[in-house]
Amino acid sequence: MANPIRIQDIAQHEGETVTLRGWLYAKTGKGKLQFLQLRDGSGIAQCVVFKGEVSEELFQNAKDLTQESSLIVTGSVRANTKAPGVPGGYEVGVEELQVLHIAESFPIAPKEHGVEFLMDHRHLWLRSRQQWAALRIRATIIRAIRNWLDDQGFINMDTPIITPTAGENTTHLFEVSYFDDAAYLAQTGQLYNEATMAAFGKVYCFGPTFRAEKSKTRRHLAEFWMVEPEIAFCSLEELMDIEEQMLVYVVEQVLAKHRPELEVLERDVSKLEAITSPFPRLSYDEAVEKVAEIREQTEDDELKAQLDLTWGDDFGSPHETELTKLFDKPVFVYHYPTAAKAFYMEPVEGRPEVCRSVDLLAPEGYGEIIGGSERIYDLELLERRIEEFGVNKDDYQWYLDLRRFGSVPHAGFGLGIERTVTWLTGQDHIRAMIPFPRTLNRMNP
RNA sequence: UCCUCCGUAGCUCAAUGGCAGAGCAACCGGCUGUUAACCGGUAGGUUAUUGGUUCGAAUCCAAUCGGAGGAGCCA
């Protein structure tokens, strides 16, 4: 065994004898040649076995390898523009081959498969190029978000997953037993974050979020990851600045680190390069007008019916999708109708029918990835809103305390990780953007 | 919860009322430059389940089960 390297670094080792350790991604043979596509988690490299250069036994061992067999090869790295792989362009001329395990017939062949079959084999599907590429980008997105927030002085303050009551009381929750009581899996950390905000100033929680909604769309998971910053003394306008700067940084990091992965995913990189400050900002009023204009101009009767909207309605998916098509960047829509939003959102001064809320809609039809707002900080108003919403005030006494002891204007938002990954990788479905998705009809494997 | 669509070999699909088939994967053989190689061969079936219509059902009808896409709700 020579110097063991990772495939992502192969270009730095041209001319050297190296060792690669991994799994056989694919193989083609041609008489006295075997082409092994070897995957090691960091990339895929072509390893060439030529009968004239190795022992009879080694050649036969190479020929007998099956897809996903595990192996260690040693050989010299040479440039070859035709060599496939990720990053590609280099191949290894095999001199030694150690077979660790001959894999049984691998269910996922290098061809097209149906969704159900792939999801049943998610534990194996993860090894495929596109899954690998998207999940590597996911990891970078998470890391970039944390780095940006940490660098801006935010304190990571994770909030409980087991909670006694509904957070926003707007969605169906997963009920679990907590000793002798019922409890619920968290649908948001925001209310707790308002408490940590008053202790630390700028905070964020980053964790799994659970929604028991019976949603069956390409945008929904029952368990997904969300980052929720909460900032003291922050206005809605400043909140938009923060969201914008953070996202621009995330996109820069993805572009800087994942060109090969974006190529595997056939992502149009120019769409990502266009994500620069500033993002367009539309009030709900303006957005309603835009939707009405689109509706008038379309000749698609079905779309016309879907886009029917009167002032005060929340936007549905079709409205969001059409709105985002007007821009090549994410678009902020702010000042939504108060009646369409959660109870804790600050009303706009002199215009209580709308509130200090803002959603960020991703372009190319991807839609909402962030929801945020200024929070009510007046005790009496918050008490009144809780009553109007018909939720149990006793459950919110600690939350109301935050308005009794040094209440300050503050704002925060929640960003859905998997929705962001779906958009940045240009994929069509959220379920492949998390290693083991939980959806309406599936929690296995 | 509602609407639409789908279920045939391990996988992707064809057969539309008349003998259940092909490609890929697997296995055997051939080939020095493959990119989902190619060529020849072997093997592979309770047509989701149950019932009905029919001389005859993968095909038509009903119910059930499983899945997909969308609406609503949301990130």
Side-chain angles (χ1 to χ4, degrees):
Chain A
M1 191 157 89
N3 179 32
I5 66 160
R6 301 206 83 200
I7 290 168
Q8 65 186 358
D9 303 322
I10 196 167
Q12 299 160 26
H13 297 276
E14 189 182 348
E16 296 174 24
T17 297
V18 302
T19 293
L20 301 180
R21 302 175 290 192
W23 298 262
L24 186 70
Y25 187 71
K27 181 185 74 171
T28 60
K30 177 132 187 181
K32 294 176 182 171
L33 276 171
Q34 293 292 326
F35 298 96
L36 314 178
Q37 307 303 328
L38 181 71
R39 168 181 86 64
D40 75 346
S42 79
I44 300 174
Q46 172 159 282
C47 303
V48 184
V49 185
F50 177 41
K51 198 169 187 176
E53 292 173 354
V54 299
S55 69
E56 191 74 26
E57 185 191 2
L58 192 157
F59 188 80
Q60 190 59 43
N61 285 344
K63 207 172 169 183
D64 290 343
L65 287 169
T66 55
Q67 186 185 354
E68 289 301 323
S69 288
S70 46
L71 61 151
I72 299 175
V73 304
T74 296
S76 57
V77 178
R78 59 188 177 232
N80 177 355
T81 51
K82 283 192 203 162
V86 185
Y90 295 87
E91 64 184 18
V92 172
V94 175
E95 294 156 16
E96 295 172 35
L97 169 67
Q98 183 185 351
V99 178
L100 299 179
H101 178 239
I102 295 291
E104 295 174 23
S105 175
F106 197 67
I108 303 174
K111 56 170 289 194
E112 291 193 10
H113 295 280
V115 172
E116 188 181 5
F117 176 81
L118 289 170
M119 292 302 296
D120 283 342
H121 296 85
R122 181 61 176 168
H123 53 298
L124 302 177
W125 186 27
L126 292 169
R127 304 180 188 194
S128 301
R129 276 157 49 101
Q130 294 203 339
Q131 304 310 308
W132 171 85
L135 291 173
R136 274 168 65 95
I137 292 172
R138 178 185 203 265
T140 289
I141 289 169
I142 291 170
R143 185 171 161 198
I145 289 169
R146 284 188 180 277
N147 285 351
W148 191 86
L149 289 168
D150 291 344
D151 289 348
Q152 297 293 315
F154 283 77
I155 307 291
N156 179 208
M157 199 54 59
D158 286 318
T159 52
I161 287 167
I162 299 173
T163 59
T165 53
E168 301 181 2
N169 201 31
T170 55
T171 183
H172 294 101
L173 305 177
F174 287 105
E175 188 174 326
V176 295
S177 70
Y178 190 72
F179 305 110
D180 293 333
D181 291 326
Y184 303 90
L185 298 182
Q187 58 147 324
T188 173
Q190 183 209 313
L191 304 192
Y192 293 100
N193 251 350
E194 291 184 55
T196 63
M197 171 276 297
F200 299 93
K202 294 161 72 173
V203 299
Y204 68 96
C205 62
F206 200 135
T209 304
F210 305 91
R211 306 264 167 103
E213 288 291 342
K214 298 206 169 180
S215 298
K216 272 185 70 163
T217 78
R218 65 184 69 198
R219 299 180 307 280
H220 287 89
L221 291 169
E223 175 183 293
F224 65 97
W225 287 69
M226 182 157 70
V227 59
E228 294 177 276
E230 192 75 26
I231 310 109
F233 306 103
C234 181
S235 69
L236 195 70
E237 290 69 29
E238 290 167 325
L239 191 72
M240 289 189 243
D241 291 342
I242 290 169
E243 294 178 18
E244 182 176 305
Q245 288 165 22
M246 188 178 86
L247 263 182
V248 166
Y249 176 76
V250 169
V251 172
E252 283 171 2
Q253 289 296 301
V254 169
L255 283 169
K257 293 178 176 167
H258 292 294
R259 295 286 172 159
E261 287 85 351
L262 292 167
E263 198 175 319
V264 165
L265 295 165
E266 296 176 341
R267 180 59 164 132
D268 181 350
V269 176
S270 69
K271 302 269 198 228
L272 298 181
E273 288 166 341
I275 310 304
T276 54
S277 290
F279 297 169
R281 301 182 181 192
L282 288 180
S283 68
Y284 171 85
D285 296 342
E286 292 166 332
V288 168
E289 280 177 31
K290 294 261 188 206
V291 170
E293 281 172 29
I294 297 166
R295 185 165 180 268
E296 269 174 39
Q297 284 164 14
T298 186
E299 291 176 10
D300 181 340
D301 286 342
E302 195 183 343
L303 184 62
K304 213 183 250 299
Q306 284 179 334
L307 292 182
D308 189 21
L309 186 76
T310 49
W311 195 99
D313 294 342
D314 201 357
F315 291 131
S317 293
H319 310 105
E320 284 183 0
T321 301
E322 293 306 312
L323 258 182
T324 69
K325 287 181 183 170
L326 298 176
F327 306 96
D328 57 5
K329 297 181 187 186
V331 54
F332 288 107
V333 179
Y334 60 92
H335 290 187
Y336 280 85
T338 307
K341 291 288 179 180
F343 69 85
Y344 50 72
M345 294 187 183
E346 182 77 31
V348 171
E349 201 172 346
R351 222 191 141 195
E353 70 276 15
V354 292
C355 61
R356 302 277 284 162
S357 57
V358 59
D359 286 353
L360 183 67
L361 312 180
E364 303 173 71
Y366 282 96
E368 185 175 358
I369 57 170
I370 296 181
S373 65
E374 276 180 40
R375 325 304 193 185
I376 293 173
Y377 75 104
D378 178 74
L379 176 64
E380 281 182 28
L381 176 58
L382 186 58
E383 284 179 321
R384 195 160 71 238
R385 294 288 291 151
I386 284 174
E387 277 167 27
E388 285 168 8
F389 260 71
V391 293
N392 186 355
K393 203 165 145 188
D394 292 343
D395 292 340
Y396 290 90
Q397 281 309 317
W398 69 264
Y399 185 64
L400 290 165
D401 265 358
L402 305 175
R403 278 73 182 170
R404 292 186 179 106
F405 302 100
S407 192
V408 297
H410 62 286
F413 66 91
L415 175 144
I417 298 300
E418 290 78 12
R419 283 191 180 177
T420 304
V421 181
T422 312
W423 161 46
L424 294 181
T425 57
Q427 300 301 288
D428 67 350
H429 207 297
I430 197 169
R431 72 184 146 219
M433 301 300 120
I434 185 168
F436 295 96
R438 269 69 184 108
T439 60
L440 181 56
N441 293 312
R442 175 179 296 277
M443 59 169 181
N444 280 305

